[in-house]
Amino acid sequence: MNLYDLGWNHFFFQYFENYTDQNLIPARVTCVQRNLLTIFNETGELKAELAGKFLRDTVGRADRPVVGDWVAIKPHPAEEKATIQAILPRKSHFSRKVPGEHHTVEQIIAANIDTAFLVVGLDGEFNLRRIERYITLIWDSGATPVVILNKTDVCPDVEKRIEDVESVAFGIPVHPISAAAGTGVDILKQYLSQKETVVLLGSSGVGKSTLINQLLNREQQVVQAVHAKEGEGRHTTTFRELFFLPSGGAIIDNPGMRELQLWADETVLQSSFEDIEAFAEDCKFRDCLHQTEPGCAVLEALEDSKLDRKRYQNYLKQRRELRYLAGKRDSRLRIEEKKQGKKLSKMIRDLDKKRNP
């Protein structure tokens, strides 16, 4: 494989020029398990560790390598190992807020993705409100969303489910498949061309591992049966991993996420709730909150049954979350800036004492 088979392009090349004089070479991260990483380059697979200087210079967890990242490495061929010296800027990345009410920390799930397959189970896992949350995060990631409705073999009314999803996923492709039976899977290969990277997202048990096996044409991922009574899947994938497809392109498998806390900018709601945003253009006031204001076109659409009430409520919920998150992030930034200011002041005082004992 050459670098372009792994997803390399001009975007990464232009940033890597900074490292060519340091005798470093590019590689892509395919798996992360704590501080031990697996990377892949033109020579094949290597195990890698983070350089000491890199660890000292990184501030938060978002600065550490994730699956899909391109990194600058110093290889140690005799040991089949390498040391990661730097991460190249990310073209896109899918993030969520670290679970926990008091956290305001970003967790990056996967980087440098072109398309996000949101896999939805047509069984006990089907939830339109959760689909809306995923769509918000996918649009914010910079990737293109595609909804995969899996398990058509156990759904009595697939067309109804497709209509339900299309009512909240405007302009987003929706593909019904049965990964277990292999039906409908071929149509997904249009998104898996050479140089393209796809990430699989969705709850545990929706069939992501089964779909991976179908696309790779081999039993790569272990598949566990869903709970017979509840229709809920058990965790199969326990860590994120990138695979290169026989036909070209790459795909990232991802464990199911029990908590999907938003990490995005409020403006992304214009994409994920474009129907509500379209109604809002006719509101009487430009700063309308769409709750109690007179002349609110969104409330009129709600009264006229042009807008689903549960979708409207989820829109308000997401907007509240994102505004709260923005406030917490601003507060945290002010605290960090204050800490840095104190450190700088102390350094200046210490220098003055040395110069004028």
Side-chain angles (χ1 to χ4, degrees), residues 76-144:
H76 310 294
E79 306 171 36
E80 295 186 350
K81 293 182 179 179
T83 305
I84 295 175
Q85 304 289 338
I87 301 177
L88 301 189
R90 292 163 176 142
K91 182 178 66 173
S92 61
H93 62 274
F94 181 88
S95 300
R96 67 171 175 176
K97 185 172 81 71
V98 171
E101 181 181 354
H102 302 293
H103 289 299
T104 52
V105 179
E106 178 184 17
Q107 181 188 17
I108 299 179
I109 304 300
N112 301 315
I113 50 179
D114 299 289
T115 304
F117 282 178
L118 172 52
V119 185
V120 179
L122 294 177
D123 50 12
E125 293 290 326
F126 191 83
N127 185 319
L128 285 177
R129 306 288 79 83
R130 189 169 179 83
I131 291 171
E132 289 171 338
R133 292 179 73 83
Y134 267 111
I135 289 173
T136 293
L137 290 176
I138 293 171
W139 279 128
D140 190 69
S141 75
T144 301

Side-chain angles (χ1 to χ4, degrees), residues 28-33 36-40 45-49 67 84 241:
R28 196 166 193 194
V29 178
T30 58
C31 186
V32 178
Q33 292 178 283
L36 183 63
L37 297 87
T38 305
I39 60 175
F40 212 95
E45 185 176 282
L46 296 170
K47 296 299 180 182
E49 294 181 341
V67 173
I84 295 175
E241 191 168 6

Side-chain angles (χ1 to χ4, degrees), residues 65-320:
V66 300
V67 173
D69 267 327
W70 280 95
V71 291
I73 66 166
K74 181 178 181 181
H76 310 294
E79 306 171 36
E80 295 186 350
K81 293 182 179 179
T83 305
I84 295 175
Q85 304 289 338
I87 301 177
L88 301 189
R90 292 163 176 142
K91 182 178 66 173
S92 61
H93 62 274
F94 181 88
S95 300
R96 67 171 175 176
K97 185 172 81 71
V98 171
E101 181 181 354
H102 302 293
H103 289 299
T104 52
V105 179
E106 178 184 17
Q107 181 188 17
I108 299 179
I109 304 300
N112 301 315
I113 50 179
D114 299 289
T115 304
F117 282 178
L118 172 52
V119 185
V120 179
L122 294 177
D123 50 12
E125 293 290 326
F126 191 83
N127 185 319
L128 285 177
R129 306 288 79 83
R130 189 169 179 83
I131 291 171
E132 289 171 338
R133 292 179 73 83
Y134 267 111
I135 289 173
T136 293
L137 290 176
I138 293 171
W139 279 128
D140 190 69
S141 75
T144 301
V146 174
V147 180
I148 312 298
L149 300 182
N150 190 27
K151 306 185 183 182
T152 55
D153 51 315
V154 299
C155 180
D157 194 346
V158 175
E159 290 302 320
K160 176 62 168 63
R161 290 305 195 194
I162 293 174
E163 289 178 8
D164 290 340
V165 173
E166 288 179 340
S167 72
V168 302
F170 295 96
I172 297 174
V174 179
H175 298 295
I177 71 165
S178 171
T183 56
V185 175
D186 284 346
I187 197 171
L188 305 182
K189 294 179 181 178
Q190 64 182 299
Y191 305 102
L192 299 167
S193 60
Q194 191 179 27
K195 304 178 187 177
E196 297 289 304
T197 299
V198 171
V199 63
L200 294 187
L201 302 170
S203 302
S204 179
V206 296
K208 298 189 299 296
S209 296
T210 305
L211 179 56
I212 281 275
N213 291 339
Q214 285 283 356
L215 295 171
L216 292 174
N217 294 322
R218 65 176 186 266
E219 292 296 316
Q220 177 68 46
Q221 298 294 76
V222 177
V223 178
Q224 295 182 12
V226 296
H227 194 288
K229 181 179 179 180
E230 300 175 2
E232 295 182 354
R234 299 172 182 172
H235 283 285
T236 304
T237 304
T238 57
F239 53 86
R240 295 168 187 92
E241 191 168 6
L242 182 149
F243 302 98
F244 298 107
L245 296 158
S247 57
I251 191 162
I252 298 173
D253 197 7
N254 184 60
M257 290 179 278
R258 294 186 184 278
E259 291 190 54
L260 193 63
Q261 298 199 22
L262 299 180
W263 183 278
D265 185 270
E266 186 183 342
T267 57
V268 76
L269 297 180
Q270 296 173 8
S271 297
S272 53
F273 290 91
E274 64 176 59
D275 54 333
I276 295 179
E277 294 291 334
F279 288 130
E281 290 180 3
D282 295 326
C283 285
K284 182 178 180 180
F285 302 106
R286 298 299 299 171
D287 58 348
C288 184
L289 296 177
H290 319 309
Q291 292 180 284
T292 58
E293 295 83 354
C296 175
V298 174
L299 293 179
E300 289 178 7
L302 199 62
E303 291 298 320
D304 295 340
S305 300
K306 295 179 181 178
L307 176 62
D308 180 76
R309 183 167 295 277
K310 289 183 179 179
R311 177 166 171 80
Y312 163 74
Q313 291 171 340
N314 199 27
Y315 167 80
L316 294 182
K317 180 181 179 181
Q318 289 194 30
R319 191 179 66 183
R320 285 195 301 270

